[in-house]
Structures are given as structure tokens and as C-alpha cells.
Amino acid sequence: MYKKDWISKWAIYSPDKVAISEYETNRTITYQQLNLRANYLSNKLVSDGFKTGDRLMVIAEHCIEYVALFAMAQKTGITLVPVNYRLSSSEIEYLISNSKPTCIIAERKFEHLIAEQAKVEVIWMEDLTQELAIANETQFSALDFDENHPLFILYTSGTTGFPKGAIYSHKMLFWNSVNTSQSLEIVPSDHTISCMPAFHTGGWNVLLTPLLHRGASVGIMKKFEADQLLQWLEKEKSQLFMGVPTMLKMMAESEQFKAADLSQMRYFIVGGEALPLSVINTWHNKGVKIRQGYGLTEVGPNLTSLHQDHAERKIGSIGLPNFYTEIKLMTPNGEEVKANEIGELCLAGPLVTPGYWNNEKATKEAIQDGWFHTGDLAKMDEEGFLYIVDRIKCMFISGGENVYPAEVERVLRQMPEIDEAAVVGVEDTQWGEVGKAYLTATNERLPSTDLIASHCAKYLAKFKVPKYIVWLKEMPKNDSGKIDRKKLKA
């Protein structure tokens, strides 16, 4: 019986082929070596009492060992909980209480993020690296479990002010890989470099896991550096690369840009937000085609794709639905809209999450009659190309990171001097969007901008801290008494 164990297959078919390269450490690992490490981890954790369904939280930068943990999870059904190391300790404390991991694997440099009161066993990644370097476990019989079983719990900022854990199942992983391989024509000889962090679905499921499923090769870059990335893409003769618009802009402005030979590149895949035509043209003039798409942590993530041949003609489009993606644009009454009419983008099929971890209310709100409601407003033209028009939710994207205002507002209101708070995303040349906080005061003594930023930094990741602060005498309200965010945005 097939038990969802990809790496053991490639250890047979291509044992000596390099699966993962880690550039900062100059380490590589073959498919056979990766399988040995995964077998070792599987035997170790199962013998230590881990069971299918137990959670294993990881607080670390992307690395070879992280990929070995992924391969272990495919074999055992242990669920990985990748955590954003840019969060504050109080934010991570909430994730620990919500997911209740049996164990935490962390890099020592992130020790300060793990509160002592968490009372969870911690294994240091550095110690694990030494163990795995001499691992020689040739056998582990992969366990059997349901395809809807969680592979990952991926936390996204919540509209209620608290993060939600999106369940990413083994079924989603498989169908996303099939969807991606078909859309992007992935073959075993392909190579990519991943700059996306492991706490994002993009760090796993845009290119890394689909390429591992096809027996291809992936280079891991722990931190994005435009100059260095261009050099590595040229040296490795990479065929594919996925990045957010901020990365492509910075690469185009790099001193290495003109000299870099990217003639082997089939295309760049871009997500997160629309890429300006000027940047598209810059890369097209370089001979690099651009493919834009759309995805979610909860669905896919590879759901639509704008073929490179249409990048200029259909500027602003997220393209056509991928092969196994079912899409409807619906009115609030559940009726499907016509061409060029605006409706909520709803998704169905084997790529949809089973739901949110320990959050039945959020699951029922998001998944109705088998359709996942994205909260994004979209339209479809006569040729079937999709365009995102606006977000129903107030979320904005800063440097490729999702920021939910409710989460920031909750922290701002913790300050006794602040009465009401409303955060909106405003345009920023470097990060795409940044936060602008509108505040009303409880008294005449207003805290300084620096004091507000310092307070936010204690509880929020840096990218969530508002860049701008505006004090108002009174918040604009709509007829129902809620803050009128449209007026603030305008």
C-alpha cells in the first residue's frame, strides 16, 4: 500500500542525486541520505513515544534538517507546526497553548522566544544536526493514516486578533504537487532556489515539495540577499524561481542584475500581490518570463497561473485556474456571477483544507457547502482570466507577509493612553504596503510614536508594527456604529 512516503521512492530511483543544497553552510544531501535521516528521525520519535497526530513544533530557519523532518512526517503521520521566528515570545506562547506540541525543535538563537512556563520538551536543532550527520537507519516501515490527516499546521494571523492554525493535509500536499507539476511542467532535471521561510506555505508548497515529488533538486537560501541570489541562480543554472514582488524589484535593482546569466531560466513565479508592468518589462527585457498566480495557506497554494505569454496582455490578472482547482465567483446570496461581474472568490476540490485547528467556528465560516470562501472579491473576463478586485477582509500584505489589522489593533489598545485603534494598509515603495494606525486617546497626554512602536515590538513581529501614527479627535463611524475603514483608507 502506498503510504505517502515520497523520499524513500527517490532513494531507490535516484539514490545519489542531490535533493537539497544549503548554500550558507555549503552542505548538500542526496535522496538516499535524506531518506536515511528521515528513517532515523522516524525510529527515534516513535520509540520516544510519539504517535500519529502528535504535534512537533519547529522554530528554525529553513535547512536540510527541516526537510528531513518533513520526510519523517510523511512516514509517521506526526504533524509539523512550523513557527514564525519573527514573532514575539508572547505570540509564540499563544501558538504553543493552541497547538499543544509534544515537543519543540528550535535553533538556539531563538531560545528567547520559548517561554519557560511553556513546559514543553525542547530539542535544539544544532544537537539534532550532529545526530543526523552519523545517522544510518536504512529501514522504517511507513505508517498508514488517512489522507486528510494534518501534515502541517500553518498559522495565519486571525481576523479576530488571534492566529488560526490552517490544517495542511497529506491529501492537499499530493494534489497541490500534481497541480503544480502539470501547470509548470516540472521534470526531474529541474532546479530551483527557495528563499521563502519554512513557516510559510510558500516555503514548502509553491515549489519545494512539488519538486521533491518529481525527484528534482532544491537549493535553500536561509535569508534573501538579492546579489547572492542572482549569483546562485546563474551558477546552478536554475530553471524556476518563486518570489514575491519585493524580491523581484530588489533583484532588478541589484548591481549583479545586468551581468547575471539567467538564460536557463524558464520563468519566475510571482505571488502575494500584483507585479507592476514596469518590473515585468524589466525582467522580460532580461529574457526572464514572469508567471503570476494566486494561492492561500488554506487552499493549494498553487491555484491559478497566468502563463508567461499573457503577462503583459493580461496585466493584473492572476490567470486561469489550475487543472484541479474548482472556482466560483459568488454573491452574498450564494449565486454565481456573470463575466466581468464582481463576486467573492470561492474554491473547492482536493486542495481545500479540512479546516482550522481547534477552531470549529472559523471552519464553518470559511467552508460552506463544500466551498472555501476566500474573502477576496474577484471578476472573470470573457476569456476566463481572473482578476482580484479587492479584499473583503482588511488584511494587507507588507513585504510578502500578511498583516491583519485586528491583531495589531488589539495590541495597540493594550496601552492605557489609547482608546480606539484602526489600522489600514497604505502604499509603500519598498514593502508594497505598510500599516497606518489611526488612534483616539483616553486623555490629553499622548504617547510618542517611538513609545507606541516600542510597545508594539514587544508583542508583534516587526513587519506588523505600524509605520505611521495619526491621532484623531473622533473615529469616523458608519450607520451601524462600526469604524468606517473606507473613510480612513481614503
Side-chain angles (χ1 to χ4, degrees), residues 94-162:
Y94 172 80
L95 303 186
I96 293 171
S97 67
N98 184 258
S99 64
K100 293 180 172 54
T102 302
C103 177
I104 298 173
I105 295 178
E107 290 183 87
R108 287 191 180 274
K109 62 183 175 182
F110 300 127
E111 182 176 2
H112 64 284
L113 297 176
I114 306 170
E116 292 181 5
Q117 61 267 31
K119 296 181 180 178
V120 179
E121 179 191 2
V122 178
I123 297 174
W124 300 114
M125 184 67 85
E126 290 81 355
D127 297 338
L128 193 61
T129 299
Q130 292 183 6
E131 275 189 64
L132 292 178
I134 56 174
N136 193 30
E137 296 281 352
T138 56
Q139 298 296 324
F140 180 84
S141 180
L143 307 179
D144 192 22
F145 44 87
D146 189 81
E147 62 181 2
N148 286 310
H149 182 75
L151 169 64
F152 297 113
I153 298 174
L154 298 168
Y155 278 93
T156 63
S157 294
T159 53
T160 60
F162 291 97

Side-chain angles (χ1 to χ4, degrees), residues 38-58:
N39 285 341
Y40 175 86
L41 286 167
S42 299
N43 283 309
K44 173 184 172 67
L45 293 173
V46 169
S47 65
D48 285 347
F50 271 79
K51 303 180 296 297
T52 295
D54 284 352
R55 274 80 62 207
L56 180 63
M57 182 174 282
V58 186

Side-chain angles (χ1 to χ4, degrees), residues 353-365:
T353 179
Y356 295 103
W357 181 257
N358 283 339
N359 197 333
E360 187 177 348
K361 180 176 181 290
T363 300
K364 288 182 177 179
E365 288 174 353

Side-chain angles (χ1 to χ4, degrees), residues 185-484:
E185 301 174 354
I186 295 172
V187 295
S189 58
D190 278 339
H191 182 274
T192 191
I193 295 176
S194 174
C195 300
M196 303 296 288
F199 53 79
H200 269 185
T201 189
W204 292 104
N205 301 313
V206 173
L207 285 179
L208 193 152
T209 54
L211 263 70
L212 288 180
H213 193 195
R214 296 290 287 129
S217 299
V218 179
I220 289 177
M221 187 176 178
K222 294 176 183 290
K223 294 180 180 178
F224 170 76
E225 295 286 348
D227 293 354
Q228 191 65 65
L229 175 58
L230 286 166
Q231 293 176 17
W232 282 332
L233 288 172
E234 177 180 352
K235 182 179 179 182
E236 296 281 12
K237 292 181 169 52
S238 301
Q239 291 83 16
L240 305 166
F241 172 73
M242 183 272 171
V244 297
T246 300
M247 291 180 181
L248 269 66
K249 293 175 189 175
M250 294 174 71
M251 291 165 70
E253 295 167 358
S254 165
E255 294 181 358
Q256 303 291 326
F257 178 74
K258 288 184 178 179
D261 178 5
L262 302 180
S263 57
Q264 295 287 331
M265 186 68 61
R266 285 208 303 278
Y267 30 72
F268 282 180
I269 298 97
V270 185
E273 56 188 295
L275 193 64
L277 182 58
S278 60
V279 180
I280 293 174
N281 287 334
T282 297
W283 284 101
H284 280 189
N285 292 335
K286 177 76 174 171
V288 176
K289 299 296 183 181
I290 301 293
R291 290 187 71 139
Q292 298 195 76
Y294 172 89
L296 299 169
T297 301
E298 296 92 336
V299 190
N302 298 329
L303 299 169
T304 74
S305 186
L306 180 66
H307 193 277
Q308 61 270 25
D309 291 348
H310 303 298
E312 296 179 40
R313 185 174 73 89
K314 294 289 185 179
I315 181 69
S317 172
I318 58 171
L320 301 170
N322 284 339
F323 203 87
Y324 294 101
T325 304
E326 297 179 50
I327 282 181
K328 279 186 182 180
L329 302 184
M330 301 170 70
T331 68
N333 297 326
E335 298 175 356
E336 201 165 354
V337 303
K338 299 176 183 177
N340 289 312
E341 291 182 349
I342 296 172
E344 182 181 8
L345 178 60
C346 300
L347 305 159
L351 296 151
V352 175
T353 179
Y356 295 103
W357 181 257
N358 283 339
N359 197 333
E360 187 177 348
K361 180 176 181 290
T363 300
K364 288 182 177 179
E365 288 174 353
I367 305 173
Q368 300 171 24
D369 298 323
W371 289 90
F372 185 92
H373 289 247
T374 67
D376 287 332
L377 294 171
K379 65 179 180 180
M380 182 183 289
D381 68 16
E382 294 85 352
E383 297 179 73
F385 288 84
L386 290 157
Y387 295 79
I388 298 296
V389 177
D390 202 352
R391 300 182 183 99
I392 297 174
K393 302 169 186 175
C394 301
M395 182 269 289
F396 60 93
I397 298 172
S398 184
E401 299 273 9
N402 290 353
V403 181
Y404 283 85
E407 188 178 18
V408 184
E409 291 159 6
R410 178 173 59 84
V411 170
L412 286 166
R413 289 195 299 269
Q414 291 175 1
M415 296 187 72
E417 301 90 344
I418 294 175
D419 182 20
E420 295 179 298
V423 177
V424 299
V426 296
E427 188 174 349
D428 185 80
T429 55
Q430 183 176 6
W431 303 112
E433 290 178 288
V434 294
K436 186 174 186 178
Y438 291 90
L439 309 173
T440 61
T442 54
N443 54 56
E444 294 182 0
R445 296 185 63 181
L446 303 182
S448 67
T449 300
D450 288 345
L451 185 61
I452 294 171
S454 176
H455 167 78
C456 289
K458 291 180 182 178
Y459 304 99
L460 297 168
K462 187 176 180 181
F463 62 84
K464 300 179 186 177
V465 177
K467 186 175 181 179
Y468 305 106
I469 301 293
V470 177
W471 289 98
L472 301 175
K473 289 185 178 180
E474 186 178 354
M475 283 283 185
K477 304 286 178 67
N478 58 25
D479 293 339
S480 63
K482 295 180 180 179
I483 294 173
D484 192 334

